């Protein structure tokens, strides 16, 4: 109970104070730098990156000095680029005002460098421009390159950056870092090849592979929930947990991304990266510290312990689906979306039962499902505990004795809830599950920032703990690639096999055995 009156539960001032100490991170200790953006006229830049930079600027969280240099092919100058970005912020971050001093000071930091991505001269000139900006703004020679281009361009850009000496691996004033967007490779082989190319130009500690899920507050909170509370760790294992369910459901269909998605499918798009990242945080052992490599070492151990599937396992432990028309006019089937083949075999839904073969998790199924055009946008993890022995309350019947369940809501309605069994008020011994609920929205006054803000700031700080390391990405692909290959060799289900706006194909229900079922997010 806090200091409130009349039994009201409020926050004690010391909790509030200690929270402020954790949350507020002044920008004074951040190195000045130039943020060089490739793919500067693309969708990601407009929707996420520039709004994130501007929001950080408005909160005083960017280093000072700091400049953004857009590297792109289109014929533009600084002022046209500034006007474009203003429009992007108005469209995608309307809560941020672009009238007034804040915008003026931010837009004065935006520069445009015109060049084709395959033009060596363009990179040399970029070097010259950066040196000038260094002089003008005192940037300390620090550069953060952000590759927000389609993945086909990654190797080329990296190669040219190296050729122009912009990787600064030698003895130089300042640092050079590279943020690289997903998809990181198409399968294990291509991911390895990309890692090798990166390694030939940048050292691993210069490379920041983005998985934006790791920038989400609720994903970071998994570690805090597990390791900053005494009550969870002793029961976080096969002795107490029956199964774990991870759901990444989206209501959206293709939204003009059909061309990309046709080659990707939900497994490459969501499962190989976001869902497996969440799984590793749920399953990992406590790291020795929170530094980047300690955390990532433990995550890699989980990935290594996941059983790799043979053809038979793929048939048994995986389900794929593709949506057809739903019951509303706007819920069109996948095959009629723009950029999608009329006989497409691409999966828009997938479900898996993974096994983690280590001491902690042997025998506990990890169910993962991800889908487009589901009834609800929700990402959550459900930890389903084992049932209690039906002795004491046996006469009440098993229906009332639901096992405890911890739900970690990653989005929306960020928070966590625990289902516990309680006695219903009244003369009878009636018992039923009730929910203890924690909601970010009401527990904290601080609004949740977009994941990109946190990740960009971490890269500026040189903290790679929320970025994927080379071996982590390869391990994840080594789990997924055999599944994708086996799907190719197995007979494909008759697509479409679920209606848009439903929870996926029938077969996904049968994946859960032993009396278990999906706990659909409500
Ligand atoms: C991206 C995928 O990585 O994540 C998209 O390419 C997906 O298909 C998106 O919609 C989901 O991100 P969020 O943050 O909206 O859950």
């Amino acid at each position: 109970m806090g200091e409130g009156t009349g039994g009201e539960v409020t926050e004690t001032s010391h909790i509030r104070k200690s929270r402020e100490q954790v949350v507020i991170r002044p920008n004074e200790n951040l190195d000045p730098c130039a943020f060089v953006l490739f793919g500067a006229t693309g969708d990601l830049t407009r929707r996420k990156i520039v709004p994130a930079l501007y929001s950080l600027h408005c909160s005083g969280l960017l280093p000072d000095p700091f400049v953004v240099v857009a590297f792109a092919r289109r014929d533009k100058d600084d002022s046209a680029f500034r006007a474009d970005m203003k429009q992007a912020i108005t469209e995608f971050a309307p809560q941020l005002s672009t009238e007034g001093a804040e915008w003026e000071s931010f837009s004065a930091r935006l520069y445009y460098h015109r060049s084709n991505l395959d033009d060596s001269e363009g990179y040399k000139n970029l070097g010259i421009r950066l040196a000038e900006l260094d002089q003008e703004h005192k940037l300390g020679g620090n550069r953060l390159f952000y590759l927000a281009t389609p993945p086909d361009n990654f190797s080329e850009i990296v190669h040219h950056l190296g050729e122009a000496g912009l990787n600064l691996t030698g003895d130089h004033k300042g640092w050079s870092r590279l943020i690289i967007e997903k998809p990181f490779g198409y399968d294990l082989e291509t991911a390895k090849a990309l890692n090798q190319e990166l390694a030939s130009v940048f050292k691993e500690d210069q490379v920041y592979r983005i998985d934006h899920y790791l920038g989400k507050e609720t994903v970071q909170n998994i570690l805090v929930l597990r390791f900053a509370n005494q009550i969870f760790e002793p029961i976080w294992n096969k002795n107490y947990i029956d199964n774990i369910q991870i759901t990444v459901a989206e209501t959206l269909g293709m939204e003009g991304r059909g061309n990309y998605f046709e080659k990707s499918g939900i497994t490459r798009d969501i499962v190989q990266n976001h869902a497996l990242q969440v799984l590793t945080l749920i399953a990992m052992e406590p790291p020795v510290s929170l530094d980047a490599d300690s955390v990532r070492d433990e995550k890699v151990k989980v990935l290594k312990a996941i059983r790799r599937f043979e053809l038979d396992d793929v048939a048994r432990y995986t389900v794929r689906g593709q949506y057809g028309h739903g019951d509303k006019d706007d819920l069109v089937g996948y095959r009629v979306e723009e950029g999608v083949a009329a006989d497409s075999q691409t999966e828009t839904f997938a479900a898996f039962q993974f096994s983690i073969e280590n001491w902690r998790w042997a025998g506990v199924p990890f169910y993962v499902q991800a889908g487009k055009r589901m009834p609800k946008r929700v990402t959550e993890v459900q930890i389903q505990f084992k049932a209690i022995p039906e002795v004491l309350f046996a006469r009440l019947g098993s229906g009332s004795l639901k096992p405890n369940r911890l739900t970690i809501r990653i989005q929306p309605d960020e928070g966590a809830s625990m289902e516990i069994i309680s006695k219903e008020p009244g003369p009878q011994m009636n018992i039923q599950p009730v929910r203890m609920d924690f909601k970010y929205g009401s527990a904290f006054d601080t609004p949740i920032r977009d994941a990109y803000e946190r990740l960009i700031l971490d890269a500026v700080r040189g903290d790679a703990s929320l970025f994927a390391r080379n071996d982590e990405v390869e391990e994840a692909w080594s789990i997924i690639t055999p599944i994708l290959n086996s799907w190719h060799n197995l007979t494909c289900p008759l697509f479409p096999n679920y209606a848009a706006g439903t929870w996926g194909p029938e077969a996904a229900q049968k994946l859960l055995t032993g009396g278990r079922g999906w706990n659909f997010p409500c």
Side-chain angles (χ1 to χ4, degrees):
M1 184 74 62
E3 295 168 338
T5 53
E8 191 190 343
V9 180
T10 62
E11 191 177 44
T12 58
S13 59
H14 73 272
I15 294 180
R16 187 180 290 274
K17 195 160 164 226
S18 59
R19 201 176 70 214
E20 280 163 4
Q21 281 160 3
V22 174
V23 169
I24 293 172
R25 295 166 184 269
N27 65 357
E28 287 126 42
N29 300 327
L30 293 180
D31 292 341
C33 71
F35 184 94
V36 184
L37 187 51
F38 291 87
T41 49
D43 202 45
L44 187 67
T45 295
R46 298 174 60 79
R47 275 177 194 273
K48 292 287 182 187
I49 302 172
V50 168
L53 288 171
Y54 185 47
S55 170
L56 289 170
H57 169 82
C58 293
S59 310
L61 292 170
L62 280 184
D64 194 12
F66 180 86
V67 300
V68 177
V69 181
F71 184 110
R73 179 178 45 86
R74 288 187 205 163
D75 200 10
K76 269 186 206 183
D77 58 11
D78 294 345
S79 71
F81 178 63
R82 290 170 186 172
D84 251 17
M85 293 304 108
K86 185 173 185 176
Q87 202 184 24
I89 291 167
T90 314
E91 187 175 350
F92 296 111
Q95 73 284 7
L96 302 172
S97 161
T98 48
E99 300 305 327
E102 290 291 17
W103 171 253
E104 291 311 318
S105 64
F106 179 73
S107 77
R109 297 167 176 230
L110 304 181
Y111 296 90
Y112 191 82
H113 179 76
R114 205 199 79 73
S115 168
N116 284 337
L117 291 178
D118 59 357
D119 176 9
S120 302
E121 279 304 304
Y123 292 80
K124 276 192 205 132
N125 292 337
L126 173 67
I128 297 169
R129 185 109 193 244
L130 288 174
E132 287 164 6
L133 288 168
D134 257 346
Q135 287 279 321
E136 191 182 330
H137 295 274
K138 308 277 172 294
L139 299 169
N142 302 320
R143 292 101 199 253
L144 182 55
F145 298 102
Y146 195 125
L147 307 196
T149 60
D152 297 350
N153 301 126
F154 291 165
S155 320
E156 182 158 60
I157 300 171
V158 167
H159 165 78
H160 284 298
L161 288 174
E163 196 183 58
L166 293 168
N167 48 343
L168 304 186
T169 43
D171 197 11
H172 284 277
K173 182 168 150 281
W175 47 253
S176 174
R177 296 180 189 138
L178 180 80
I179 303 184
I180 186 159
E181 265 293 336
K182 76 173 260 277
F184 195 87
Y186 183 74
D187 54 17
L188 179 58
E189 205 184 321
T190 49
K192 277 185 170 169
L194 183 53
N195 273 335
Q196 273 167 15
E197 283 182 59
L198 290 181
S200 68
V201 177
F202 288 93
K203 289 186 268 176
E204 178 59 24
D205 65 7
Q206 293 178 287
V207 179
Y208 293 70
R209 295 174 192 79
I210 282 222
D211 183 314
H212 78 279
Y213 260 56
L214 293 178
K216 292 182 190 277
E217 288 290 352
T218 37
V219 172
Q220 293 163 47
N221 193 40
I222 295 173
L223 282 197
V224 179
L225 191 82
R226 288 192 56 198
F227 301 128
N229 293 294
Q230 179 68 280
I231 58 170
F232 293 120
E233 187 50 21
I235 55 171
W236 208 262
N237 56 50
K238 62 179 186 294
N239 299 327
Y240 294 90
I241 292 177
D242 179 81
N243 72 86
I244 292 183
Q245 303 184 10
I246 299 174
T247 298
V248 184
E250 293 182 273
T251 49
L252 294 179
M254 287 307 111
E255 316 298 312
R257 293 172 80 219
N259 264 325
Y260 152 78
F261 200 84
E262 267 291 82
K263 290 187 229 110
S264 155
I266 199 81
T267 310
R268 288 188 172 90
D269 189 46
I270 298 279
V271 180
Q272 185 274 340
N273 36 72
H274 309 327
L276 284 185
Q277 283 291 343
V278 171
L279 185 150
T280 56
L281 292 168
I282 292 289
M284 69 191 262
E285 296 301 318
V288 288
S289 83
L290 289 178
D291 72 62
D293 278 333
S294 302
V295 174
R296 298 187 297 182
D297 286 347
E298 295 305 331
K299 285 163 67 191
V300 169
K301 283 186 206 162
V302 174
L303 294 170
K304 281 185 196 275
I306 293 181
R307 191 154 77 82
R308 277 28 179 189
F309 289 163
E310 307 284 337
L311 194 70
D312 286 356
D313 302 315
V314 173
R316 190 163 160 206
Y317 296 122
T318 74
V319 172
R320 39 188 169 148
Q322 186 192 78
Y323 61 83
H325 288 271
D327 64 1
K328 294 195 189 108
D329 286 351
D330 57 340
L331 295 180
V332 299
Y334 177 68
R335 289 179 174 182
V336 300
E337 298 255 23
E338 191 192 326
V340 173
D343 58 352
S344 169
Q345 302 287 293
T346 300
E347 84 290 355
T348 59
F349 170 94
F352 306 84
Q353 177 183 331
F354 290 119
S355 310
I356 302 181
E357 297 187 324
N358 64 15
W359 191 266
R360 187 189 283 262
W361 295 116
V364 179
F366 279 70
Y367 300 108
V368 173
Q369 60 173 346
K372 296 276 183 191
R373 282 280 188 241
M374 306 265 98
K376 198 178 173 201
R377 175 180 180 249
V378 61
T379 301
E380 67 177 36
V381 182
Q382 298 204 356
I383 316 288
Q384 182 72 64
F385 290 92
K386 289 193 166 166
I388 57 157
E390 284 196 18
V391 184
L392 203 52
F393 299 102
R395 69 174 178 80
L396 301 176
S398 54
S400 46
L401 277 178
K402 290 227 170 75
N404 299 122
R405 186 166 68 199
L406 173 68
T407 302
I408 301 172
R409 295 188 305 272
I410 290 170
Q411 64 188 23
D413 192 20
E414 291 83 356
S417 63
M418 182 80 185
E419 260 179 40
I420 53 170
I421 302 293
S422 280
K423 180 184 174 303
E424 206 181 288
Q428 317 282 353
M429 178 55 99
N430 287 340
I431 61 178
Q432 56 168 301
V434 290
R435 267 219 275 173
M436 288 162 57
D437 214 5
F438 146 60
K439 289 179 190 256
Y440 265 85
S442 50
F444 298 100
D445 319 323
T446 330
I448 293 189
R449 287 181 174 276
D450 188 83
Y452 275 87
E453 296 185 29
R454 170 66 194 257
L455 294 173
I456 289 171
L457 209 49
D458 277 8
V460 174
R461 271 189 208 122
D463 178 354
S465 41
L466 300 180
F467 294 84
R469 204 170 57 189
N470 50 3
D471 52 346
E472 205 176 340
V473 171
E474 289 180 17
E475 287 298 337
W477 275 121
S478 80
I479 296 163
I480 295 301
T481 306
I483 298 176
L484 296 169
N485 292 343
S486 301
W487 278 349
H488 199 66
N489 295 325
L490 288 165
T491 315
C492 187
L494 204 56
F495 282 166
N497 58 355
Y498 71 99
T502 65
W503 285 112
E506 275 285 313
Q509 309 308 318
K510 301 201 182 110
L511 187 64
L512 282 68
T513 52
R516 302 178 181 112
W518 291 107
N519 297 312
F520 284 115
C522 54

